[in-house]
Amino acid sequence: MEIEDEIIVEDDIDIIDIIDFGFPRRFFNRPNYIEEMDDMSFFRRFRLTKPTVIAVLELLEDQLEFDNDLNNSVSPVNQLLTGLLFYASSAHQINIGDIMRMDQGTVSRIISKVSQSIASLRNRFIKMPSTPQEIITCQNNFYRIARFPRVIGCVDGTHIKIRSPGGDDGEIFRNRKHYFSINVQLVCNSDVEITNIVARWPGSAHDATIFNSSRLRVRFEAGEFGNGILLGDSGYPLRSYLLTPLGNPGAPAEQLYNEAQIRTRNCIERTNGVLKRRFPALCYGLRCNLNNALSTIVATAVLHNVARRMHEDEPPPPMGINDEELNYLIDQGEIPNINVHGNVMYDFRRDLIITHFGDLGQ
């Protein structure tokens, strides 16, 4: 009986200490996965190779470094790997914390910090061709695909699944497929690099609305890209600088135009697929607040371009996930072609068809 009383007294003292001083702090012995993990295992888990991660770290280290090493601060490399693990899996933050050996609250703060830091590199890695030589080079590269002239980019929207933001405006993020999302406008070049991104519109917004409200439209209408044009699907408005497929091609030249337009525009479909395969969080759904979701989308686009420039292979599906499941989830985020044609005074496609694809026979 006396022994039991002593145990009860000791437990009571522990509880009193927790009430007075809080739970005792835990100090983690964090791993160094760059040194400890083999190259293939690292690539499968973080979706980037070690040289690419080190190259990105060199760009971000000043922003991620703490002023001192007090309180067992997380090193810049472990901060970056925590963010990459989130993009690679979209796992619950408590599970990421178990892998990286840190508390869930620390994981949440690090993901936000890393995403904002990577997104700040946007103007360096995501940009349209600007000089005359860059525009000509881009046009020549697109022309080699299907002999479609003057193209400097392909545009499309893709849905990124998010949690419901809640509040009075939460429902505007519900898209036509009935889940909450951000409708992200992407423009790519022939090398499957992202050259323009708009990541702020809710899932209910139409592709045409996003483009008409974008700065990119203003830049084209100001003549910033010379005779360069964009290719889009039939959900976009027809413009002198934005060409869409013909609704009912009749003459052989019109059919050739449509075939070349669709084959060339396939670059943007590939870009969407490669981006989401590399960072499955974009197709499984982002489990974070809205501001962090927007930063994450831009950050993954930056990392996608870094990976392309480092000539990285496309990573295999995450462990435990097969290709069919991942492709299905990617397809669920795509916008179907919508055959919408506005009333236009002049069809800018006509002159291009006659010049490059043959006589219309009219």
Side-chain angles (χ1 to χ4, degrees):
M1 189 68 179
E2 293 179 358
I3 296 176
E4 292 180 357
D5 290 342
E6 290 179 2
I7 294 175
I8 293 174
V9 170
E10 290 178 358
D11 290 343
D12 290 342
I13 292 174
D14 290 340
I15 293 173
I16 292 172
D17 287 342
I18 291 174
I19 294 174
D20 290 341
F21 304 106
F23 286 97
R25 295 188 60 188
R26 294 186 299 166
F27 291 91
F28 297 91
N29 183 20
R30 299 191 178 97
N32 185 342
Y33 287 122
I34 289 184
E35 294 183 359
E36 298 173 4
M37 194 173 289
D38 65 84
D39 292 345
M40 180 53 66
S41 297
F42 186 92
F43 186 48
R44 289 186 66 92
R45 285 163 177 79
F46 298 101
R47 320 303 284 171
L48 296 173
T49 60
K50 292 179 182 180
T52 299
V53 170
I54 293 172
V56 173
L57 180 63
E58 291 175 353
L59 299 174
L60 301 177
E61 193 164 11
D62 291 341
Q63 300 180 53
L64 301 180
E65 187 74 66
F66 286 95
D67 295 334
N68 53 63
D69 197 28
L70 299 176
N71 300 320
N72 194 29
S73 59
V74 183
S75 65
V77 64
N78 276 341
Q79 292 182 58
L80 178 57
L81 292 180
T82 299
L84 292 177
L85 196 60
F86 176 74
Y87 309 152
S89 63
S90 192
H92 293 285
Q93 293 177 2
I94 192 169
N95 295 334
I96 295 175
D98 291 341
I99 298 171
M100 299 303 299
R101 299 180 191 172
M102 58 185 72
D103 288 321
Q104 181 274 327
T106 303
V107 171
S108 178
R109 292 189 293 273
I110 286 176
I111 290 172
S112 176
K113 181 179 180 181
V114 168
S115 296
Q116 292 176 16
S117 298
I118 298 174
S120 69
L121 302 174
R122 167 180 177 167
N123 292 335
R124 178 171 179 174
F125 289 98
I126 302 177
K127 54 186 178 180
M128 295 287 291
S130 55
T131 66
Q133 184 57 48
E134 289 177 347
I135 292 174
I136 292 173
T137 300
C138 190
Q139 290 175 336
N140 289 338
N141 291 338
F142 269 114
Y143 187 78
R144 295 189 186 100
I145 297 174
R147 302 178 65 83
F148 202 106
R150 297 169 46 199
V151 179
I152 63 170
C154 299
V155 61
D156 198 7
T158 185
H159 284 274
I160 306 299
K161 186 178 180 181
I162 61 170
R163 297 188 308 182
S164 171
D168 296 335
D169 298 328
E171 280 300 311
I172 67 173
F173 289 87
R174 191 185 296 277
N175 63 27
R176 58 184 298 163
K177 294 188 177 180
H178 309 299
Y179 62 86
F180 296 96
S181 67
I182 302 295
N183 191 357
V184 181
Q185 176 181 284
L186 296 177
V187 177
C188 75
N189 61 20
S190 60
D191 295 323
V192 198
E193 289 186 12
I194 297 170
T195 56
N196 186 267
I197 183 171
V198 178
R200 61 176 180 270
W201 285 81
S204 61
H206 193 276
D207 290 1
T209 301
I210 298 174
F211 180 79
N212 287 333
S213 303
S214 68
R215 184 170 177 267
L216 185 63
R217 177 189 65 85
V218 176
R219 294 172 68 187
F220 268 98
E221 293 183 353
E224 185 173 331
F225 304 108
N227 68 345
I229 59 175
L230 290 174
L231 297 184
D233 62 28
S234 54
Y236 285 95
L238 179 63
R239 298 286 188 267
S240 59
Y241 51 83
L242 174 54
L243 300 186
T244 59
L246 293 165
N248 296 294
E254 293 179 333
Q255 295 176 7
L256 285 174
Y257 165 87
N258 263 16
E259 179 183 350
Q261 203 268 3
I262 293 170
R263 286 178 56 194
T264 305
R265 201 182 75 236
N266 182 255
C267 290
I268 190 62
E269 306 294 342
R270 290 173 52 211
T271 301
N272 286 333
V274 171
L275 175 65
K276 291 181 179 181
R277 284 180 62 87
R278 184 174 295 280
F279 302 112
L282 301 180
C283 54
Y284 290 132
L286 296 174
R287 298 188 181 100
C288 54
N289 63 45
L290 182 59
N291 289 333
N292 285 344
L294 299 181
S295 298
T296 295
I297 293 168
V298 177
T300 52
V302 170
L303 293 175
H304 167 84
N305 279 4
V306 173
R308 297 297 300 178
R309 296 179 188 183
M310 295 288 287
H311 305 291
E312 292 223 353
D313 295 330
E314 184 178 339
M319 297 184 69
I321 303 297
N322 57 49
D323 287 336
E324 290 76 14
E325 180 183 354
L326 187 57
N327 288 334
Y328 172 78
L329 290 169
I330 291 174
D331 290 340
Q332 290 303 298
E334 298 293 338
I335 301 176
N337 289 341
I338 305 171
N339 199 9
V340 178
H341 294 282
N343 294 322
V344 294
M345 296 300 295
Y346 183 77
D347 191 336
F348 298 98
R349 298 168 294 196
R350 180 183 177 86
D351 287 344
L352 186 140
I353 293 172
I354 294 173
T355 304
H356 297 279
F357 296 100
D359 190 355
L360 290 175
Q362 297 177 352

